[in-house]
Amino acid sequence: MSVKGSSEKTNIRYFFPKDPAKGGAKFSFIRKKKDAIEEVPVAENKLKKWRTGESSKGYARTKFHSEKIKAREKVFEKVAEKSARAELLCAEEEGTLEGEKTYQITQNDIRGSADEATQQKIFDLRLNQFGPYRLDYTRNGRHLLIGGAKGHVAAFDWQTKGLHCEINVMETVADVKWLHQETMFAVAQKKNVFIYDNQGIELHCLKHLDSALRLEFLPYHFLLVSAGAKGYLSYLDVSVGQEVSGICTKQGRLDILTVNPQSAIVHLGHPNGIVSLWTPNMKEPAAKILCHASCLRDVAVDVSGNYMATSGMDRRLKIFDLRTYKELSRFQYNKRQCPGKLDFSQKGILAVSRENVVELYKDMTNQAYRPEKPYLYHRCDKLVQDIMFCPYEDVLGIGHGWGFSSIVVPGAGEPNFDALEANPFQSKAQRKQTEVRMLLDKFLKPSKIDFTPRHKMKGGSKAGKVEQRKKGVQEQHLRAAVRDIVRTKQKEGRLNKSNSWRAGLPEGVSSLQRLKKKSA
């Protein structure tokens, strides 16, 4: 086609799509001007699940702070709405056992009716020469670390059965713990705590963590917590290698240690039946709870951080609400049955060991009495030393005198995982990026682990409380002044002592006169 009226001829070609009936593509260039995507509103019951609490009622004293509170409430509401919408992407559902007598179902029955992937999760490691064994899973639930009391330590991928390392430290091993990644782990040996890599090479010897009996790791603070036989509780920052805090608890031997996963507060169990709560920025316990009238055997805190389970030598298992620090329920065992080790799964299943038997109970935090029969029941060959649920898997690891056992517990693990938080299928490059991101995001300082009672009433303080605080501040200032006076006197005493040799010289005579020339 040519266009007249111009000095040059221009050829214009037009393209017309073929008719779909004659083999053309089925598309259209037409689009409505007011085409908008409308989001379907989320149901109120789903939003209520993701809301952290009630919205603030009322206003602040200033307009600036009122607007700030409103903006923050909008952000919280948007986060809850997005979380509720993203719940549709969680297509996996948790498993369960149906029937009235589920406690009669054995691991052989599950193995016979399950698929091949589930069958490989049920296995035993017969290591009767170096037991009993302690164990620990990584945060993503992929790797397993076991440590025998007679020095045997092994790290491996328990799903593929690929061995990372296997060593014998030739010392008594009290506990083992993975650090922020599966590349390093800590071992509490007879005298000191040692850090090894996943090849079994010794990296560090922490001599100031002596006689450690239990280890825990805070992943968001990069803190390694150790409780020793001499009553010392220590916090070590593994990112810089410095000890953050060392506390003398004055409670004797510390062999019961657990951490609240929500608040990072350390729970210690003592022989007098008391559970004490500790933070690294306080030299005294933040709270004390009298749980049993006898010696404690173990303490466990659930994933939500709201409930705590304790077991004692009085053959009782108790459930406490950590929001009010009150006892919710207690369960009495019969004679010759004393509950031992405890652990909560991600879905709230409680594992209780007694001698060589492990019992699993459902919904223990909502019941006033212990069920007559457990959800599942498993018997080991020897005395149970340690139990732990595997994250994001329906698996319970059991360490006993003859080695290690892995059993399947349907409905124990969280079926949907957050790949940015803990990815069981991460590659080597992803692991490196995750480690760098964790170090960059390490904004939580040890001073941020603070204990704030959640039952504190709102409102202003009474006049008596205000006067008490004023007196306390005045006493602190007075003590500081007295301390300065004492330090000044001590300095003067040191100076007088250092100048005591001048006492024999006559007044007005300087020590430099000996350098003058003597007159003839």
Side-chain angles (χ1 to χ4, degrees):
M1 180 179 180
S2 62
V3 180
K4 296 180 180 181
S6 59
S7 59
E8 297 180 359
K9 293 183 179 181
T10 306
N11 296 328
I12 301 176
R13 294 181 179 180
Y14 293 95
F15 171 74
F16 297 96
K18 294 182 180 180
D19 187 9
K22 299 181 180 180
K26 295 183 179 180
F27 62 87
S28 175
F29 293 104
I30 301 173
R31 180 180 177 87
K32 294 181 180 180
K33 294 182 179 179
K34 297 182 179 180
D35 246 358
I37 301 174
E38 296 182 359
E39 292 185 344
V40 180
V42 185
E44 186 64 25
N45 56 353
K46 292 185 178 181
L47 286 174
K48 189 177 180 181
K49 177 183 176 182
W50 294 99
R51 283 175 182 152
T52 54
E54 296 182 359
S55 59
S56 59
K57 298 178 181 179
Y59 298 91
R61 293 184 177 180
T62 61
K63 184 178 179 181
F64 170 75
H65 289 91
S66 300
E67 296 294 333
K68 196 173 181 180
I69 291 173
K70 290 180 181 179
R72 188 172 57 185
E73 291 293 338
K74 289 181 181 178
V75 171
F76 289 160
E77 189 67 22
K78 188 180 254 186
V79 169
E81 183 180 354
K82 287 187 176 181
S83 300
R85 291 187 185 279
E87 195 176 5
L88 297 173
L89 302 176
C90 301
E92 300 291 336
E93 297 181 356
E94 58 182 282
T96 185
L97 290 177
E98 297 180 354
E100 297 180 357
K101 299 181 180 180
T102 56
Y103 60 90
Q104 294 181 352
I105 300 176
T106 62
Q107 293 299 308
N108 292 331
D109 298 336
I110 296 176
R111 182 183 297 170
S113 59
D115 57 336
E116 186 176 356
T118 306
Q119 292 175 5
Q120 293 179 358
K121 298 176 183 179
I122 304 174
F123 62 92
D124 293 321
L125 298 178
R126 184 57 63 92
L127 305 166
N128 53 357
Q129 297 181 357
F130 305 103
Y133 277 82
R134 300 278 302 178
L135 67 137
D136 185 42
Y137 288 98
T138 53
R139 291 180 63 211
N140 57 9
R142 189 63 187 264
H143 303 273
L144 174 64
L145 176 66
I146 59 174
K150 298 179 182 178
H152 178 240
V153 178
F156 56 95
D157 186 339
W158 69 271
Q159 294 187 3
T160 62
K161 310 300 186 293
L163 183 65
H164 298 323
C165 68
E166 186 177 11
I167 58 176
N168 196 319
V169 298
M170 305 301 292
E171 274 186 347
T172 303
V173 173
D175 200 4
V176 291
K177 181 61 64 175
W178 288 107
L179 298 187
H180 57 286
Q181 291 284 356
E182 63 270 14
T183 54
M184 288 192 296
F185 58 88
V187 180
Q189 297 178 201
K190 183 178 180 180
K191 292 184 178 180
N192 306 315
V193 176
F194 290 82
I195 306 295
Y196 298 90
D197 65 355
N198 57 356
Q199 302 299 321
I201 301 173
E202 180 183 328
L203 301 178
H204 304 285
C205 175
L206 309 176
K207 293 186 178 180
H208 51 281
L209 303 182
D210 59 331
S211 304
L213 297 177
R214 292 292 177 265
L215 297 175
E216 284 291 344
F217 185 72
L218 306 180
Y220 300 107
H221 305 79
F222 277 74
L223 292 180
L224 178 65
V225 186
S226 69
K230 299 179 181 179
Y232 280 89
L233 178 67
S234 302
Y235 291 83
L236 178 74
D237 191 340
V238 299
S239 61
V240 295
Q242 295 181 356
E243 187 177 6
V244 173
S245 176
I247 305 170
C248 180
T249 61
K250 302 177 184 178
Q251 296 290 338
R253 182 183 177 90
L254 303 177
D255 57 351
I256 300 175
L257 169 67
T258 189
V259 173
N260 190 326
Q262 293 295 326
S263 60
I265 292 179
V266 172
H267 294 236
L268 292 178
H270 305 292
N272 55 2
I274 292 178
V275 175
S276 58
L277 281 62
W278 298 84
T279 60
N281 51 356
M282 296 177 64
K283 296 298 182 182
E284 296 293 332
K288 287 185 178 181
I289 308 173
L290 180 59
C291 300
H292 295 266
S294 62
C295 178
L296 280 171
R297 297 203 65 185
D298 202 9
V299 178
V301 182
D302 72 333
V303 180
S304 64
N306 296 333
Y307 300 101
M308 178 182 68
T310 61
S311 61
M313 293 296 293
D314 53 0
R315 304 193 307 277
R316 286 180 179 175
L317 172 65
K318 295 184 179 182
I319 306 295
F320 289 86
D321 191 342
L322 294 178
R323 294 166 292 186
T324 58
Y325 302 100
K326 293 182 179 180
E327 180 182 335
L328 293 181
S329 56
R330 64 173 64 184
F331 312 117
Q332 181 71 45
Y333 279 77
N334 299 327
K335 294 181 179 179
R336 300 181 182 179
Q337 293 182 356
C338 186
K341 300 298 178 180
L342 305 173
D343 192 33
F344 277 101
S345 73
Q346 292 178 320
K347 286 299 182 179
I349 296 179
L350 178 62
V352 183
S353 73
R354 51 178 182 84
E355 297 182 356
N356 65 330
V357 172
V358 177
E359 298 175 345
L360 297 110
Y361 296 94
K362 265 190 171 183
D363 302 328
M364 286 287 282
T365 57
N366 301 329
Q367 298 182 10
Y369 301 97
R370 183 172 68 92
E372 296 182 0
K373 299 297 180 182
Y375 172 63
L376 268 181
Y377 181 93
H378 182 74
R379 183 180 295 273
C380 301
D381 297 329
K382 284 289 184 177
L383 187 68
V384 175
Q385 176 71 11
D386 192 16
I387 55 176
M388 184 178 181
F389 282 99
C390 180
Y392 306 105
E393 291 286 347
D394 293 344
V395 171
L396 174 67
I398 305 172
H400 48 81
W402 275 8
F404 171 80
S405 298
S406 176
I407 64 174
V408 171
V409 183
E414 175 64 42
N416 302 286
F417 61 88
D418 186 0
L420 297 177
E421 178 72 15
N423 187 5
F425 308 104
Q426 66 180 0
S427 61
K428 189 174 181 181
Q430 289 175 337
R431 176 177 56 78
K432 293 180 180 179
Q433 293 175 1
T434 303
E435 188 171 5
V436 173
R437 188 176 68 250
M438 290 175 67
L439 287 170
L440 292 176
D441 294 343
K442 188 201 163 199
F443 63 92
L444 294 176
K445 298 180 180 180
S447 59
K448 297 295 182 181
I449 305 177
D450 195 8
F451 174 80
T452 303
R454 302 187 184 181
H455 59 276
K456 188 177 185 301
M457 301 299 292
K458 296 182 179 180
S461 301
K462 294 182 179 179
K465 296 290 183 181
V466 174
E467 291 298 327
Q468 287 181 4
R469 285 199 293 269
K470 288 183 180 179
K471 289 181 180 179
V473 173
Q474 292 174 0
E475 289 179 0
Q476 288 180 1
H477 290 311
L478 181 61
R479 288 176 182 174
V482 172
R483 196 181 299 113
D484 293 339
I485 293 172
V486 171
R487 288 177 180 174
T488 305
K489 289 184 177 180
Q490 288 177 351
K491 289 181 180 179
E492 292 177 355
R494 293 194 201 100
L495 290 174
N496 294 335
K497 189 176 181 180
S498 62
N499 297 331
S500 59
W501 62 276
R502 296 175 178 269
L505 296 176
E507 287 190 24
V509 178
S510 173
S511 60
L512 298 177
Q513 289 183 358
R514 59 189 177 83
L515 302 177
K516 292 183 179 180
K517 291 182 179 181
K518 296 181 180 181
S519 57

